[in-house]
Amino acid sequence: MIRKFTKIGFLVSLLSLLSFTSCHKVEVFENDPYGNFDALWTILDERYCFFEYKEIDWEQVRIKYRKKLTMKMTSEELFSVCGDMLMELKDGHVNLSAAHDVSRYWDWLYGSPENYQERLIDEYYLNFDYRYTSGIKYKILPQNVGYMYYGSFSSTIGEGNLDQILAYLSTSTGLIIDVRSNGGGSLSNVETLVSRFINQETLVGYISHKTGPGHQDFSELYPIKYSPSKRIRYQKPVVVLANRGTYSAANNFVSVMKELPQVVVMGDITGGGSGLPFSSELPNGWSIRFSASPIYDASRQHTEFGVAPTEGYKMDMDLEQAEQGHDTILDRAIAYLTGSE
């Protein structure tokens, strides 16, 4: 999940908030089942950013679930109805938080191959002997291929730590960046990491924001550009490994890296999650988090439903081979970088 705004994202969200407060009348809702339901539905109706893209008839959703309300229902019963309504958005960034529970949508992940086994990597490829800093495991494999596993973009990457990592890996013939099952975190960490693989200012995507309560009320697309780091940069071929568990900020990382000429993305399509989250509150104190500003890739395409691997490199792990200690996705990345594919 994306936990922290980039500078552009923060400004866009601030502009969005100011536009609502300056020209839109704020409704007042009662603190009862109907009032809280209506408040939740209205917040999303006016501010959620993917209704048109996902072709959701939000008015019909309101009618469907409001019928389930009664004035005497418990908080738990109301939470269940509201949570079911939110599932209609098919968005892992949408969460209703109460004292007793948090709603969550996981269907984007269900039914997909895992395509990553941490113990297999640690035992058969890293031999439980690797360096670790800033949430990154790293080592030079016997084939002289560098390997980095970054499990969460919530782990802040220190610039000095990244210098040490890349200096250590500099003698490798190529580098594997494994972000399988990385559920996201901070977009600022995406920028920090990507900046070590570009040599000029690079357009990495676009962002837009809501300008009004209508489902089509959006600003123009604002370009997002990253500058190359002035510190150590890696100049050799790179393979990024992804799976369906690669979500939110990690999804954004894969989208950006895929556009770089020296990078190949292998594995499965990512989980998606491209909306910049925002939060609001209901009369009863429950918090609702939702996608408020869509982020597009460098080709102005949505990545809400995921980023596909580089053409010809979509694959799943061979589970029979996994039982023998082989991660076939990682093996193919090694073969690609050593020229033995």
Side-chain angles (χ1 to χ4, degrees):
M1 56 184 67
I2 299 174
R3 299 176 184 267
K4 186 176 179 182
F5 292 165
T6 59
K7 291 177 283 186
I8 292 177
F10 176 78
L11 292 173
V12 168
S13 296
L14 180 61
L15 287 171
S16 178
L17 180 62
L18 291 174
S19 70
F20 276 119
T21 56
S22 62
C23 62
H24 182 62
K25 183 179 179 180
V26 178
E27 295 183 63
V28 177
F29 298 93
E30 296 296 327
N31 185 12
D32 60 36
Y34 289 93
N36 282 293
F37 177 92
D38 290 341
L40 175 62
W41 184 89
T42 301
I43 288 168
L44 292 165
D45 182 56
E46 296 180 350
R47 300 185 181 183
Y48 183 70
C49 67
F50 290 125
F51 284 122
E52 294 294 319
Y53 175 61
K54 296 181 179 180
E55 299 181 341
I56 297 170
D57 188 333
W58 194 231
E59 177 59 32
Q60 287 301 311
V61 171
R62 184 189 74 85
I63 294 171
K64 174 182 176 180
Y65 289 96
R66 205 172 191 275
K67 292 176 181 178
K68 301 175 185 277
L69 304 179
T70 70
M71 285 299 291
K72 294 183 178 181
M73 69 193 313
T74 65
S75 291
E76 287 80 5
E77 290 169 336
L78 175 61
F79 185 90
S80 179
V81 172
C82 291
D84 288 345
M85 178 179 74
L86 297 178
M87 295 302 104
E88 302 277 356
L89 298 176
K90 298 179 174 59
D91 192 329
H93 277 147
V94 175
N95 306 106
L96 181 64
S97 300
H100 70 283
D101 201 1
V102 177
S103 72
R104 55 261 181 213
Y105 176 78
W106 288 106
D107 283 5
W108 54 271
L109 183 59
Y110 290 157
S112 299
E114 182 183 6
N115 283 329
Y116 174 70
Q117 296 179 17
E118 182 178 17
R119 176 60 184 260
L120 187 157
I121 300 291
D122 287 352
E123 182 173 355
Y124 291 98
Y125 292 84
L126 304 181
N127 302 118
F128 299 110
D129 178 22
Y130 53 83
R131 298 187 178 197
Y132 180 82
T133 186
S134 291
I136 298 173
K137 300 177 184 179
Y138 66 104
K139 184 175 184 175
I140 296 180
L141 302 178
Q143 300 86 351
N144 198 34
V145 170
Y147 177 81
M148 295 170 55
Y149 180 75
Y150 190 25
S152 174
F153 277 93
S154 295
S155 298
T156 301
I157 304 176
E159 294 284 9
N161 302 118
L162 199 47
D163 284 345
Q164 292 292 323
I165 293 171
L166 294 180
Y168 174 79
L169 297 173
S170 63
T171 59
S172 63
T173 56
L175 175 62
I176 297 167
I177 305 177
D178 195 342
V179 289
R180 288 177 291 179
S181 299
N182 182 320
S186 171
L187 285 174
S188 65
N189 288 324
V190 174
E191 183 173 3
T192 297
L193 189 52
V194 171
S195 71
R196 300 304 186 103
F197 300 94
I198 56 177
N199 294 318
Q200 60 187 12
E201 184 178 67
T202 302
L203 174 70
V204 299
Y206 295 86
I207 190 169
S208 181
H209 67 86
K210 289 299 297 295
T211 57
H215 291 182
Q216 295 180 323
D217 292 342
F218 287 96
S219 72
E220 62 183 282
L221 297 184
Y222 293 90
I224 304 172
K225 297 181 180 181
Y226 288 172
S227 298
S229 173
K230 296 180 180 179
R231 305 170 75 120
I232 296 175
R233 299 199 297 272
Y234 193 87
Q235 304 291 305
K236 300 172 186 178
V238 175
V239 174
V240 173
L241 304 185
N243 65 354
R244 285 297 287 171
T246 304
Y247 190 75
S248 193
N251 175 79
N252 180 259
F253 172 75
V254 174
S255 169
V256 172
M257 292 294 286
K258 185 181 177 182
E259 296 296 322
L260 304 185
Q262 78 277 28
V263 176
V264 167
V265 177
M266 294 186 185
D268 199 0
I269 185 172
T270 63
S274 66
L276 198 66
F278 191 74
S279 295
S280 190
E281 191 171 292
L282 306 188
N284 62 1
W286 292 353
S287 174
I288 176 62
R289 177 175 176 265
F290 55 92
S291 299
S293 297
I295 297 176
Y296 302 79
D297 66 16
S299 300
R300 300 175 180 248
Q301 299 300 308
H302 281 287
T303 63
E304 170 67 5
F305 290 132
V307 178
T310 302
E311 185 175 357
Y313 290 98
K314 185 184 187 307
M315 61 181 298
D316 296 325
M317 282 180 61
D318 184 320
L319 297 183
E320 291 186 2
Q321 288 291 312
E323 292 179 358
Q324 304 301 317
H326 291 284
D327 179 332
T328 49
I329 297 176
L330 179 53
D331 286 346
R332 188 173 185 188
I334 294 170
Y336 173 85
L337 292 172
T338 58
S340 59
E341 186 180 24

